[in-house]
Amino acid sequence: MGKVSVGIACLFWMICSVRGIGVNWGTQSSHPLPPETIVRMLRENGFQRVKLFDADYGTLKALGKSGIEVMVGIPNDMLASVGGSMKAAEKWVAKNVSQHITSNNVNIRYVAVGNEPFLETYNGSYLGLTFPALRNIQSALVKAGLGSQVKVTVPLNADVYASSSQYPSGGDFRTDIHDYMLTIVNFLSVSGAPFTVNIYPFISLYSDPNFPVEYAFFDGNATPLNDGGTLYYNMFDANLDTLAYALEKNGFGNLPIIVGEIGWPTDGDRNANMEYARRFNQGFMSRISGGRGTPKRPGPIDAYLFSLIDEDEKSIAPGNFERHWGIFTYDGQAKYPLNLGTTNSGALVPAKDVHYLERKWCVMKPSAKLDDPQVAQSVSYACGLADCTCLGYGTSCGNLDARGNISYAFNSYFQKNNQLEVACKFPNLSMITKTDPTPSVGNCKFQIMIEPYYESVGQRFGCAGKPLGLVSVFILMILTIL
């Protein structure tokens, strides 16, 4: 076969072999792109599956007739409602599943009941709520005639299982939730539904300074873990096989597994950067494109990358990196080269027709003094209501000087509030400029937000479209007066 023919054949194989790659689409953004724009991005980048964290009407409607397989989500705060009332579960399914399948032609395939409800940080808040919700939603799907078409699952964090021996073969479910897990796993098995797990090597590196960095990636450079002759060269394989052994140990060795979330953030921590994110995500994509699987679970892996786009309103309780998981920036631009194996160009396709606010920024006045007593509370106020997670050690804007940090905070607040003049009136400290304050070197960028889009009215607004909340205006006025 000629070189050209070989190249075409290889490209065809790559496109077909990763046909089912999915991605998480989160919507906790102050200035989200229109749902139609996101769906176009999904299609142009070859994503065949999307995982949502709720069942927003506008989001689902935009996915209609796209052919993309959808996993809709039930947030943890709704588990008590749908789990405590069969009527509530039936109403939820009718509104968020049946209606979209029949009226909007949305290809809903899964309902994610809760999101990592057994995290140890929740202190057992959802232990008794998750299974009743799972059972009721499944019953409601069956009653609606969708039992074979739509399956229930529970996205769980990898902390629901562990190894007694530090090797995958010692895997079992966490002792304190063992009975809960077996109840859920048995139900999934009987229902023909998959086990969904979220695996994050980055979190292991973030949490443990002694974690071997190379073991997080797929390059084969790490010292392998030898489990009775089976060698594990990366954490993902070892982690997924720990789950596989846990399932097998409890009689469910053939239960399908979906990787609900896997990815690497690009900012907010010294290990959250573009190069590591590109290396990890490209390594993962290249790995699963061959359909090789893990030592315990050979064969294709169903996985959803985390995530599609950055979200500036996510909680940063787990860490400042939480707002930077996207392979695209908040405005739909590719952050780094990534070949998903799904486009002819081998490159990510950015969002089209993005509309930005005016090119102006809020910065610290040259005449303002760093020792002004208003500086600290003004910066604290701005960062508390906007996003300063790009500031700090090892982050993209970590090399700014004091004035740069203050200006970044002011501008973040100013942009988030649609460049309203009142949002740049920090007392004798701030001014609006049309000169871009972005440093000439490094990755730091002083953002300009996109025009806000409101699904309730289905249109974009300019910079005066959404006023500051009354409390924000009141507090800022007080700061100005003081």
Side-chain angles (χ1 to χ4, degrees):
M1 188 182 290
K3 290 183 178 179
V4 175
S5 299
V6 170
I8 293 174
C10 288
L11 177 61
F12 177 79
W13 171 80
M14 279 193 71
I15 291 175
C16 291
S17 61
V18 292
R19 184 176 176 81
I21 185 63
V23 68
N24 286 265
W25 173 5
T27 56
Q28 295 183 63
S29 302
S30 63
H31 289 67
L33 289 165
E36 295 77 15
T37 301
I38 296 286
V39 172
R40 183 177 177 181
M41 284 176 64
L42 292 172
R43 297 184 68 177
E44 292 185 344
N45 283 284
F47 286 110
Q48 296 292 316
R49 303 175 184 175
V50 67
K51 177 170 167 281
L52 309 174
F53 294 89
D54 53 25
D56 176 73
Y57 180 84
T59 300
L60 284 167
K61 185 177 181 182
L63 285 162
K65 300 180 181 179
S66 68
I68 297 171
E69 291 186 6
V70 180
M71 181 186 294
V72 296
I74 298 178
N76 291 338
D77 59 11
M78 291 185 63
L79 294 178
S81 172
V82 297
S85 166
M86 191 62 223
K87 186 175 181 180
E90 290 174 359
K91 184 177 180 181
W92 190 93
V93 167
K95 177 183 177 183
N96 300 299
V97 182
S98 301
Q99 178 182 350
H100 285 289
I101 289 176
T102 57
S103 300
N104 297 327
N105 200 17
V106 182
N107 187 15
I108 298 176
R109 300 298 297 275
Y110 299 104
V111 175
V113 182
N115 183 48
E116 300 185 338
F118 293 171
L119 275 177
E120 291 186 277
T121 52
Y122 289 146
N123 297 317
S125 301
Y126 304 109
L127 284 183
L129 303 177
T130 304
F131 177 67
L134 186 72
R135 180 188 57 209
N136 284 0
I137 292 296
Q138 166 70 7
S139 296
L141 288 169
V142 171
K143 186 174 181 180
L146 298 171
S148 60
Q149 179 180 347
V150 184
K151 298 296 183 181
V152 291
T153 188
V154 182
L156 294 161
N157 187 274
D159 74 350
V160 300
Y161 52 87
S163 173
S164 58
S165 65
Q166 304 305 309
Y167 296 103
S169 59
D172 201 353
F173 294 112
R174 215 169 72 208
T175 305
D176 62 314
I177 59 170
H178 199 274
D179 291 345
Y180 288 105
M181 287 303 305
L182 290 193
T183 299
I184 286 175
V185 168
N186 180 66
F187 185 82
L188 294 174
S189 178
V190 171
S191 304
F195 189 107
T196 301
V197 61
N198 301 337
I199 299 177
Y200 284 112
F202 168 80
I203 300 296
S204 298
L205 181 59
Y206 175 78
S207 305
D208 181 5
N210 296 316
F211 183 87
V213 176
E214 290 300 319
Y215 199 57
F217 299 98
F218 298 91
D219 306 317
N221 297 331
T223 301
L225 181 70
N226 190 334
D227 187 358
T230 300
L231 300 181
Y232 288 92
Y233 288 89
N234 64 79
M235 181 191 164
F236 173 78
D237 284 4
N239 193 300
L240 193 65
D241 277 5
T242 302
L243 169 60
Y245 275 107
L247 290 169
E248 182 181 74
K249 186 172 294 182
N250 291 283
F252 300 96
N254 294 320
L255 189 68
I257 297 174
I258 288 177
V259 179
E261 298 177 17
I262 184 166
W264 199 282
T266 56
D267 215 337
D269 180 70
R270 62 189 181 91
N271 290 313
N273 55 65
M274 299 287 191
E275 176 52 31
Y276 275 8
R278 184 208 60 77
R279 184 180 172 198
F280 181 84
N281 283 330
Q282 190 61 71
F284 181 70
M285 289 306 307
S286 299
R287 173 66 188 278
I288 68 170
S289 67
R292 189 175 54 177
T294 64
K296 184 67 175 171
R297 285 284 184 107
I301 294 174
D302 289 335
Y304 295 81
L305 289 180
F306 191 87
S307 64
L308 182 68
I309 202 160
D310 280 354
E311 301 170 72
D312 68 340
E313 292 195 335
K314 283 193 70 179
S315 168
I316 57 172
N320 285 341
F321 54 84
E322 275 297 322
R323 295 175 177 172
H324 304 279
W325 288 99
I327 58 175
F328 291 94
T329 54
Y330 73 102
D331 53 350
Q333 305 307 301
K335 291 183 180 179
Y336 47 83
L338 181 62
N339 185 355
L340 299 173
T342 54
T343 62
N344 291 332
S345 66
L348 294 175
V349 182
K352 304 288 197 306
D353 194 31
V354 179
H355 298 261
Y356 295 87
L357 297 177
E358 187 179 347
R359 286 183 57 81
K360 59 183 179 180
W361 298 261
C362 178
V363 297
M364 187 179 190
K365 283 182 179 179
S367 60
K369 299 185 181 301
L370 290 173
D371 60 359
D372 189 311
Q374 298 290 343
V375 167
Q377 63 182 8
S378 295
V379 170
S380 177
Y381 174 80
C383 289
L385 290 172
D387 181 22
C388 295
T389 55
C390 293
L391 301 175
Y393 174 70
T395 60
S396 64
C397 296
N399 292 326
L400 295 177
D401 59 17
R403 286 185 173 274
N405 284 326
I406 295 165
S407 291
Y408 188 95
F410 288 174
N411 185 64
S412 179
Y413 181 80
F414 178 64
Q415 299 295 337
K416 186 168 182 178
N417 289 291
N418 303 327
Q419 301 181 347
L420 292 179
E421 286 192 20
V422 70
C424 190
K425 288 192 178 296
F426 296 93
N428 300 314
L429 297 174
S430 57
M431 58 175 274
I432 294 174
T433 178
K434 292 193 175 183
T435 301
D436 189 348
T438 295
S440 57
V441 295
N443 295 321
C444 183
K445 184 176 182 180
F446 281 63
Q447 293 178 340
I448 294 177
M449 282 294 184
I450 57 177
E451 290 184 3
Y453 175 90
Y454 304 109
E455 289 182 345
S456 59
V457 291
Q459 59 183 339
R460 292 189 311 271
F461 288 89
C463 62
K466 185 181 180 183
L468 288 166
L470 292 177
V471 174
S472 296
V473 172
F474 179 69
I475 294 176
L476 196 55
M477 287 175 64
I478 291 177
L479 280 175
T480 306
I481 294 170
L482 291 176

